[in-house]
Amino acid sequence: MLTATLLLAAFVPQVDGDPEADLAAVLRAERERTQAMARVEPAVCSVMLRGSPGGGSGVIFDPLGFVLTNFHVVGKPQVTEMLVGLPDGELYEATVLGIDPGSDLAVLLLNDASKRPWPFATLGDSDALLVGETVFAMGNPFLLATDFTPTVTWGIVSGTHRYQPGPGNRALVYPDCIQVDSPVNPGNSGGPLFNNRGEIVGINGRISVRDRGRVNTGVGFAIASNQIRNFLGDLMAGRHAEHGTLDLNAWFMRAPHDRSRTGVFVQALFEDSKVADYGLALGDEITHFNGIPVRSANQLATLVGVLPTGAWVSLTYRPIDDEKVGEPHTIEFTLPTLDTGSSRDPDRLADEATRETAAQALIRTVPATAAAEGATVVLSGPKDRTVTLRRLGERLRIDDGDVSLVRTADGSGFKLESGNVAELSPEEAAKLDRVLRTNPWLRRDQGLRTILEGGILHGGTMVQGRAAYRIGLPGDGKREVFLFEDGTPAGCQYRDPVRKGLVQLRGLGQTRIVIDGELFSGWSIAPPDYDAPAAALFERPSQ
Amino acid sequence: MRHAILVSTVLASSALAQGDAYAFEEREPQTLLERVIDQNLRSVVKIHGASGLSTIDPYAAGVVVSDQGHILTLDLIMVQRDKTKVVLADGSVHNATLLPPEPKLGARLLKIDPDLLDQPLQPLAITKEIPRNGTFVVSIGNCFRLAEYSEKLSATFGVVTATTRTSLRYMLRDVDYDGDLILTDAPNNPGHFGGALITLDGKWIGLNTRIVESSETNTQISAAIPTRDLEAYLARWIDGKVVAKPDATETKPVYHGIELFDSGGRRSPPAYVERVKRGSPAAAIKLRPDDLIVRLDRYAIRSCLEFRNAMAKFRPGQKVEVTFKRGTNVRKATMTLEEEKPR
């Protein structure tokens, strides 16, 4: 970090410094910059459709050959094959996986597995960008390079968190984009925007123009990398990424009962929308979204626009009617789907082999250290209810209220230790056994990595406001582990033979437990304890 | 079948204040370039005029040139008496009155009512210097009206390419302008006009003017009117003298690391702490969000405005006794102020 700070500070001449030291600092900054450019260059591609005269750019973001580009470079949801030119001068075939027409993204996979590992660049943190920070764009503007050597343009971040509506029907919206003054031209579309360290902070996709046609005016927009993260699970799984919506329009305006105050007020609302069901009405003031104070209508559109459908959100509002301003209410719900038009295909999914490759790419971040021998996870619910899951080696014990189940030492099934539920059938015991293998908090590090090997990517989800991947475990594939980008567990999903339902555990701390779509509120999961539980706990009850 | 229900309302007008904070959390500026932009963003405003004609934009940027509410902008945008609004960096909207223009340079002063301001204005001072070619510059404005209310203006970067007199065209018509223009390669677009051109040592050197075309070469170029040439006009209208910006070496701003919950409004709210910067003097005395600051040394603090005014009286290195309320307890701690510097 310190090095980075010095570098950035040195970018500009210091008028009152020691000239020799200044020159050395500038030259060092230049060297670092050119080295970063040289390092990422092999990952920057030209993306073309066979038989079409145009084309755009893209970037490989994983050594297995996953490529990010704009949806408008692919063009249509029906397109399945693209051609990708790399700076090695070769043209490769690639399969179109997921698309996000709503905010102009697509992910491709390079077909030639023998070329792995492909050169790649990593995604950076777009929220760390500040106006004035230097960035560079790479791509193939005007398809200048017939040998696919990318063009580099350099400039500064002119603005962050810009909301740019789409040309129509809610497609190609840029809800949270980075405005840059580095030249961006036709053909740059889909290409990466890098920070000084050579991390992908955005995907260049559109420009503002005036009277001279579609060429650079120094106002380019890149889709922020942190927005891309929220959709990456779905895109790599080959899905049609869908955005969430509040189904309302809100304006920044004067408060109706206090003309000296301003705020964001609901001005149009679908009568049958989810928020209306939860009690939000026309004229109400929206004060917070996900705990963040809402200060402008654009900000609200940005906060919502970067979230996929199904993301849990909280909305705080003050009911306002003709007479008075009410007390603030907070409602929590999952975002409904924004309808972006007729081409929507919720069933779109890549083939299993591809999704297995995607899972391999994503579980690479799971830390590979020694597994703990034992683990205890305590779920606390309302009215002092607790469920304790314990693991010792391959043995499992579940204490749910007055019911205690212990897996036998030979692994043949579960024995009821206390309580009065009916004896489990072998099939039910086997299913319960899988809880052991599904709950990622019972498995640390190497153990988790092992159970995820051979899994397939189901898509993406949001857990506690962070993007997570849903990885189906080998076997029936229905049991899922949710994984954050850094490889830490985000939750799991399994079919509970005792409760007879599809159970989702989402996040540590104030967890969400969803059973068959219904939220069980008031539950929490304490951070797991990895000290081995006493062997006595697992011994068979004396009978 | 979905049913949309709509109500119509009148948009905000005249001196309405909004919370001062920018909506998104950001890191601290680290480089000279980031710092220069950060320090000057609050001195440039958004201007909305009457609805435009096809060749005249209804929006532009302006530069705060006095603490009495004077805003300098281009006269080439559609300003109209009683219809021109100025939006400050805190998102507050103010009605502007028009002062007579400077026809030769195409500049015009607007004035907003300083009594309606929640926070003191940060005027920029003109400089007599003409930058050498190749000097790095930052251009701040509102290109394509991308920023609204408290959203941040756009900043672009480039070098001075020339300071010259040239024959110009705008929209295929010759422009009658016989002064010097500072030409730069920092992108300048509609909405950026009237904004500030600033050197990296913080000198305000130019007022962004329209993109012009050289009638000789057809090339479009970013241009700015040197502030030097605007001195006489400003001096005529701003209480007989132009406000000079204090030299940076005289008063070094202090760094304390406290962000207050300043929700804006006609009255400045009590000085509740919203955020404490990590590693700052305030963090060293373990100040926390939701603490209410009630006293700084001998100054009683009843509002965010009083906090800022009192803080301006201190210098880096000075020790300040902070009295604050946490819950029902009143606590005291001594904080050593630091110098505001690149972080």
Side-chain angles (χ1 to χ4, degrees), chain B residues 271-332:
Chain B
Y272 279 104
V273 176
E274 182 168 37
R275 206 152 70 98
V276 175
K277 296 267 168 65
R278 208 172 294 160
S280 67
I285 61 164
K286 298 193 166 55
L287 210 60
R288 291 207 302 240
D290 289 340
D291 288 347
L292 174 66
I293 296 175
V294 293
R295 187 167 272 277
L296 288 178
D297 271 2
R298 61 199 168 84
Y299 303 105
I301 307 297
R302 282 160 296 227
S303 67
C304 295
L305 188 62
E306 288 187 348
F307 175 86
R308 277 189 294 272
N309 290 344
M311 206 45 110
K313 295 184 170 73
F314 296 108
R315 295 285 161 264
Q318 243 178 303
K319 286 185 176 7
V320 182
E321 188 185 66
V322 184
T323 310
F324 57 97
K325 224 175 138 184
R326 178 175 297 163
T328 52
N329 301 325
V330 175
R331 299 169 191 228
K332 281 183 186 179

Side-chain angles (χ1 to χ4, degrees), chain A residues 446-465:
Chain A
Q446 189 64 53
L448 181 59
R449 179 86 161 261
T450 313
I451 64 165
L452 288 169
E453 295 286 352
I456 62 170
L457 180 66
H458 283 188
T461 184
M462 300 288 289
V463 177
Q464 293 177 331

Side-chain angles (χ1 to χ4, degrees), chain B residues 95-217:
Chain B
N95 278 333
T97 50
L98 312 184
L99 299 182
E102 160 56 278
K104 215 171 134 213
L105 300 173
R108 187 195 276 271
L109 274 171
L110 310 177
K111 178 125 176 11
I112 59 174
D113 186 350
D115 293 339
L116 296 176
L117 299 177
D118 205 40
Q119 294 172 27
L121 290 168
Q122 287 180 21
L124 294 185
I126 61 157
T127 175
K128 302 203 174 189
E129 217 173 285
I130 288 289
R132 292 164 64 107
N133 295 350
T135 304
F136 285 132
V137 284
V138 171
S139 171
I140 299 176
N142 194 13
C143 56
F144 298 114
R145 202 166 31 178
L146 292 170
E148 289 180 359
Y149 298 108
S150 62
E151 289 173 343
K152 286 193 176 182
L153 294 167
S154 299
T156 59
F157 174 72
V159 295
V160 173
T161 50
T163 301
T164 183
R165 287 165 192 245
T166 178
S167 51
L168 303 169
R169 270 191 338 209
Y170 180 73
M171 295 273 181
L172 301 176
R173 283 203 310 254
D174 288 341
V175 174
D176 181 24
Y177 182 85
D178 62 355
D180 279 336
L181 281 177
I182 301 172
L183 305 182
T184 76
D185 66 354
N188 187 19
N189 280 293
H192 228 63
F193 312 158
L197 190 70
I198 297 165
T199 59
L200 295 193
D201 51 359
K203 293 196 179 98
W204 175 38
I205 54 165
L207 184 73
N208 292 334
T209 184
R210 297 183 301 194
I211 307 171
V212 285
E213 268 176 11
S214 163
S215 53
E216 282 136 32
T217 64

Side-chain angles (χ1 to χ4, degrees), chain A residues 367-372 444-447:
Chain A
T369 53
R444 189 163 62 177
D445 311 327
Q446 189 64 53

Side-chain angles (χ1 to χ4, degrees), chain A residues 401-418:
Chain A
D402 58 350
V403 180
S404 296
L405 292 162
V406 183
R407 191 180 192 265
T408 51
D410 61 5
S412 59
F414 281 82
K415 280 283 181 210
L416 191 67
E417 196 178 71
S418 65

